[in-house]
Every structure is written in structure tokens, then in C-alpha cells.
Amino acid sequence: MISGKNIIACEQSANGSNTYRTFDPLLNMDNEWQFIEATDSEIDLAVEKAVQAFETYSKKSGSERGVFLNQIADEIEALGDELIAAYCKETGLAEGRAKNERGRTVGQLRMFAKLVVEGSWVQATIDNGQPERQPMAKPDLRKMLFPIGPIVVFGASNFPLAYSTAGGDTASALASGCPVIVKSHPMHAGTGELVASAIVKAVSKTGMPKGVFSNLNSTGHEVGQKLVEHPKVKGVGFTGSIKGGRALYDIAAKRDEPIPVFAEMGSINPVVFLPRALAEKKKEWAKTYAGSITLGTGQFCTNPGLMLALASDDLDEFIALLSKEILDIAPMCMLNPGIKNNYATNKGKMMQQQGLTVVADYSQEVKTNFAQQAVTKVSGAEFLENSTLHQEVFGPFSMIVACKDVHELTLVISTLEGQLTGTVVSVQNEIKDYEKVVTALQSRVGRLIFNGVPTGVQVCAAMMHGGPYPASTDNRFTAVGIHSINRWVRPVSFQDWPNELLPNELKKENPLGIKRNVDGNWM
Ligand code: NAP
């Protein structure tokens, strides 16, 4: 049942007087639940409890943490239809999407459970000592990764389950041994509270310290900002707008002790259509891309917001086909009125830019909170001159840039801000003639896609979900997949340390039987 209360160290708490409700965008009305915003003292308490819990939780074995993560997954599944109903009421998204996202969320938790039970993720590295070495003895050195401390996770509006309360950031931080304080997203606070209640049950059933998890409600920026400013918080995970992510990054950088903010922000995900692919397969690609641009009402960080090609008759025909396909798709509801209004404003601003042609704009009347999809076109020269054209329009919107030659195409790609993905659409061998284009693209993105669409992010070890700024604040790390755990850890070396006092991962006898690097060899 949704109470509207905060959860601090697994206990309900509601000391504040600021209240708010979530919104059903399909019915265009407030939902029945009322949420109570966390107070300053509740924020402090959540952090203090997390600090206390860190002492014991960080020392739990991988097997114990694995049991805990698997239990969270089981408890989320046990929430059943109540969770799906709340998700749909707070997002306007369909039941099928809710169930898919729940599957992804529990799958991520179980993936991290497997990782920490197996144990090699700590990257145990051993250089045995050589006391007899001349002219100086070599000390014995042993290094592995350790959790950094309490982590604040900001729930994302567009993924209430997979990137929110028990989403990838929380799962990876808990797996690493860090306690988590979630700053619940105000537009799906009910979904968040239900998932938080599942974590609370898992904490109790597996005997974890209660301070390992808190879930704080907020309706303005203050709660999130205070959490990031708190001197005992050691890291932040965020998914959302560039404005929000950058504001939090700047706060963290100005602290006496700066901390890392791993923010995954805006991306327009350029797609390069090579000439022969357009000549031979324009119909298929037009249909595929109309689907990708409008998938989830365009509310994905991997939405293809920019399509690049050489100007030609084939490109004009592709544009005509894409326009028809996209206007045939029924408009859909956006997550909340704020996102819908942002979409309308940003789309309107974009369409007023000089030199831009609107090639498709759904002009029939739509229900409140539904988005009217659109595709526009500019020349390469106009795109290079006007940086407003580079900005993300979050929603079912895309822009085609027609370049006069390969040199201009390469220049356009090189001047792009950092992106999560870059796609090349090619007939099989055509791509080999565009080496410079591909090199330019690789320098701007975290994931390269061949003959596909950027929407759809696989959760697996080889996934890179991050890219040069502003796609993310630190492009050395992924926000998806097992390696996202590396955001919450730091290496520590032990020099000539007594064997019995070393962590099990580093002991001479390797009691956990994990894969380690010993004197330069993987064992
Ligand atoms: P958002 O405005 O960035 O908010 C995300 C979270 O950050 C919220 O919990 C919000 O808290 C907090 N926040 C935002 N600005 C903050 C600030 N200056 N200080 C402290 N906390 C701050 O994103 P959103 O609400 O999810 O959606 C708004 C827009 O973000 C969308 O229209 C879209 O343009 C963009 N967006 C992009 C992506 C992407 O993947 N590229 C994903 C989602 C959203 P409060 O609301 O409680 O203040």
C-alpha cells in the first residue's frame, strides 16, 4: 500500500508539512496518493544511518550481498499487479511496457547478485614480494576494489523502475557494498515507494543493516541539492536533463571534499545514412526509423534525434517516405504535463530556427498530454552555423541534416556534442569507403551501431551506456551492465600486510577461489 511517507533506514517517516501528488497523464488528473516531502533532519538521519550501515554492509561477503540482491528481485516481483497499476497511473505508459521494465529491473538485480557471488569483479591484483631482490627488496603488494560509502541515486522520470528506486544505479551501488539513499522522482513517487517497500522486506529477511537503504520524497530541488551537499555522501547517480545533472555536478565539485557525480544526460544519437543504403533500402529504413523516433513517445535517452546524409534525390525520397510513415503513427501520451510542455516549447523553438524546413508535423488535434511527432530538415551549412540546432528535443522529434559532401558530413559529426550512441546505416561493404566518417563518429559517442536503431539498450557486460559530455559526466564509465559497479569503488593496496589480516580476496591461499592477477598472470 502506498502511504506517501519517506523511508529512512527502512522505517517510515513523515515529519514534514510539504505535500504533493503524482499525476495521471492519461486521465489528466492528480492521483489519489499524497506524498510528504523529506525535512532537513530526515535527510541528515538518512545519511547518518547510511554511514553507520556502511561499516557492516561494506564487510558483508559477496555471497551475502548476492542473497540480498536476489531477495530484492523476488520482493519486487511479489508486488504483482499493484506495482504495475501504480506505474501506469503515474506515467501514462502501457501495462506491457511496465512489465518489460520490471523484468529488466529484476534481471539487473540478479545479474549483479551473480557478479558479486562469483567475486572476481574486485580485480584482485597481487605482486608477490621479493625480499632477496637486489639492489632493493621488492615489497609484497596486493590491490583490490572497495566501496566508497553512501551513494545518492536520483530516480529518472522516463524509467520509473529500471533507472529509479531499485534500478541500475541502486543495484550496482548495493552490489559494490555501498548504502543507497534514493531521491525519489516526484512524478512517480508511488511506484518508487512500492519498490522501496520491497527493498525494506529484503533487508529484513536477509539481515542487512537497516541504514543500507532510504527513500526520500521531494517535490522541489532542495532535497536533492542538500543530499549532494551533505559531507558524508560519497557519490551520486543521476539520469535526466543536462540542466539538472550539471547543477548537481557543480554542487558536488564545490564541496570541501568534491565527490563524483555520474550523470547520464542528454543525447541526440546521430544516425548516418550512407548513399547506397538510401538508394537500395530507403523504404525499409523509413519504416524502421519512424518506429524508433516515436518509440515510447520519444522519451528515451537513445532516441534518434539527428539523421545525417549526403544531399541527393534518394535522400529526398527517403524523407518523403519517412514523413508518411511517421504521420501514420498514432500519437501517444507523454510521461507528465511538464515533459509534454517542455516538448512543445522545445519543438516550437526548433521549428523557428532559420533555414529549417518542417517535413512532417502531426497537426491533427490530440488529447491533453499527448505529443505530436515531427521531423525537420536543415542543410549541413546551417547546422554548422547554429548550435541551437544541436540541442535535444526530448520526445518524438528528429532532424535530418543534408550535407553537401563527405567533408561537410565529417565536419558536422566532429562538431557534435558528446553522444550516447552513433549509428551507421550501410549496405554491407559501403562503410569501408567512409573511414573518416566512422572515426569522427567514434570520437563523439560511447556505442557504435551498424545497420540498426539506437533505441533498445541491452543489459549485458559488453554494453557501454555513457559517452563524452554532455551524454554523461564521466565517459570512462557505463551506467548499464556489470561494469557500472566500477563507479562506486576505489582501489586500495596493501603493502607487506599480514596474510591473516588481508581481505579474503587477497589472501595467499585464495580461499574464495576467485580469478586474480598474480605477478602479471591471470590465475
Ligand atoms: P530533470 O529535470 O533533470 O529531473 C531529474 C531529477 O533531478 C528530479 O528528481 C529532479 O528533482 C532533480 N533535479 C533536476 N534539476 C535539479 C537541480 N537543479 N537541483 C537539484 N535537483 C534537480 O529530468 P526529468 O524531470 O526527468 O525530465 C525533465 C526533462 O529532462 C525532460 O523534458 C527531458 O528534456 C530531460 N530528460 C532527459 C533524459 C535523457 O535520457 N536524455 C531522461 C529524462 C529526462 P525535482 O524535480 O524534485 O526537483
Side-chain angles (χ1 to χ4, degrees):
M1 212 186 79
I2 296 169
S3 69
K5 295 179 180 172
N6 302 285
I7 291 173
I8 297 175
C10 294
E11 302 283 353
Q12 287 191 341
S13 177
N15 298 341
S17 50
N18 283 351
T19 59
Y20 62 101
R21 290 177 189 275
T22 57
F23 193 81
D24 186 329
L26 275 175
L27 300 180
N28 198 33
M29 59 186 271
D30 278 346
N31 286 313
E32 62 266 40
W33 316 294
Q34 179 167 280
F35 298 90
I36 299 124
E37 187 167 44
T39 61
D40 289 359
S41 57
E42 286 174 316
I43 294 170
D44 283 340
L45 186 62
V47 178
E48 282 306 330
K49 293 283 184 185
V51 171
Q52 285 165 22
F54 182 58
E55 287 197 13
T56 47
Y57 184 66
S58 59
K59 295 194 176 74
K60 297 277 181 196
S61 68
S63 305
E64 289 170 306
R65 292 210 287 266
V67 170
F68 174 42
L69 293 169
N70 279 327
Q71 190 66 41
I72 297 175
D74 293 350
E75 298 294 344
I76 290 173
E77 283 177 336
L79 290 168
D81 292 344
E82 189 186 4
L83 178 66
I84 301 302
Y87 176 110
C88 295
K89 283 179 88 157
E90 292 188 326
T91 61
L93 294 169
E95 198 181 300
R97 158 78 194 266
K99 288 182 174 166
N100 274 344
E101 205 183 314
R102 179 179 60 188
R104 176 170 167 171
T105 307
V106 298
Q108 286 177 160
L109 285 157
R110 291 181 178 132
M111 175 187 79
F112 281 111
K114 195 170 160 211
L115 181 79
V116 293
V117 168
E118 192 278 329
S120 307
W121 72 274
V122 297
Q123 296 176 24
T125 307
I126 295 166
D127 276 300
N128 279 301
Q130 294 171 12
E132 70 291 349
R133 191 181 71 171
Q134 293 298 331
M136 270 167 48
K138 181 185 174 196
D140 184 277
L141 275 158
R142 288 156 194 266
K143 182 173 77 174
M144 64 176 270
L145 300 173
F146 286 89
I148 56 176
I151 303 299
V152 170
V153 170
F154 284 75
S157 60
N158 56 345
F159 278 93
L161 295 173
Y163 285 90
S164 288
T165 321
D169 288 349
T170 299
S172 55
L174 289 177
S176 74
C178 294
V180 170
I181 301 160
V182 171
K183 207 296 282 180
S184 173
H185 196 284
M187 297 315 292
H188 51 72
T191 308
E193 188 190 327
L194 288 174
V195 173
S197 74
I199 301 178
V200 171
K201 281 191 190 138
V203 166
S204 158
K205 286 186 183 169
T206 59
M208 292 295 151
K210 285 178 158 188
V212 76
F213 179 75
S214 291
N215 182 57
L216 302 183
N217 294 324
S218 86
T219 177
H221 295 343
E222 293 77 12
V223 172
Q225 291 180 351
K226 287 206 169 93
L227 280 166
V228 177
E229 279 164 359
H230 200 292
K232 291 180 178 168
V233 165
K234 297 296 179 193
V236 178
F238 171 94
T239 303
S241 64
I242 295 177
K243 213 168 140 200
R246 183 61 199 243
L248 297 170
Y249 181 87
D250 288 344
I251 290 172
K254 282 189 191 132
R255 290 168 36 133
D256 285 347
E257 179 199 344
I259 53 167
V261 173
F262 296 100
E264 193 253 281
M265 305 176 290
S267 193
I268 51 175
N269 304 295
V271 181
V272 181
F273 291 94
L274 295 181
R276 273 178 51 209
L278 278 188
E280 293 175 26
K281 297 201 165 162
K282 56 177 84 69
K283 208 167 166 202
E284 292 92 317
W285 285 116
K287 193 170 180 57
T288 303
Y289 267 85
S292 180
I293 293 163
T294 53
L295 190 71
T297 328
Q299 299 165 118
F300 288 126
C301 44
T302 50
N303 187 57
L306 190 68
M307 298 185 275
L308 312 171
L310 298 178
S312 68
D313 291 344
D314 285 319
L315 176 61
D316 292 341
E317 284 170 37
F318 169 75
I319 292 172
L321 289 163
L322 177 68
S323 304
K324 186 181 172 316
E325 290 287 351
I326 208 150
L327 294 177
D328 280 350
I329 292 172
M332 294 203 308
C333 190
M334 296 200 88
L335 291 164
N336 59 60
I339 286 187
K340 161 68 203 300
N341 293 340
N342 275 351
Y343 174 65
T345 307
N346 294 335
K347 179 180 138 183
K349 184 176 157 195
M350 203 57 98
M351 286 183 167
Q352 279 162 16
Q353 297 304 305
Q354 213 176 356
L356 180 139
T357 313
V358 177
V359 297
D361 187 12
Y362 195 94
S363 53
Q364 292 171 48
E365 207 168 312
V366 293
K367 289 190 205 154
T368 316
N369 302 321
F370 277 52
Q372 290 158 305
Q373 56 265 31
V375 177
T376 59
K377 182 189 160 190
V378 292
S379 70
E382 281 148 357
F383 189 82
L384 286 169
E385 265 173 31
N386 182 355
S387 61
T388 302
L389 297 171
H390 302 204
Q391 287 169 15
E392 180 183 39
V393 177
F394 191 69
F397 176 92
S398 194
M399 183 185 297
I400 295 161
V401 181
C403 300
K404 67 172 189 233
D405 54 26
V406 177
H407 175 71
E408 190 175 76
L409 174 62
T410 313
L411 203 57
V412 163
I413 295 170
S414 306
T415 54
L416 285 176
E417 291 78 2
Q419 306 290 333
L420 291 171
T421 73
T423 303
V424 180
V425 174
S426 154
V427 290
Q428 210 54 33
N429 290 324
E430 188 183 15
I431 191 168
K432 290 187 180 158
D433 301 331
Y434 292 87
E435 204 184 321
K436 281 192 177 157
V437 170
V438 174
T439 304
L441 198 59
Q442 185 174 337
S443 75
R444 306 312 305 134
V445 310
R447 174 163 60 110
L448 285 167
I449 299 153
F450 182 71
N451 275 352
V453 290
T455 39
V457 177
Q458 287 300 309
V459 180
C460 62
M463 174 52 68
M464 174 59 193
H465 193 66
Y469 185 88
S472 57
T473 44
D474 193 335
N475 65 18
R476 295 166 300 166
F477 296 91
T478 175
V480 172
I482 52 171
H483 296 130
S484 61
I485 199 171
N486 293 328
R487 296 172 298 168
W488 319 121
V489 290
R490 67 186 182 92
V492 176
S493 284
F494 294 83
Q495 185 168 328
D496 288 333
W497 211 249
N499 189 52
E500 66 276 17
L501 299 182
L502 283 168
N504 282 335
E505 289 85 345
L506 297 179
K507 285 193 168 117
K508 286 200 171 100
E509 61 275 23
N510 191 10
L512 301 176
I514 58 170
K515 192 175 86 175
R516 312 192 293 185
N517 191 296
V518 181
D519 295 330
N521 302 310
W522 286 105
M523 321 269 277

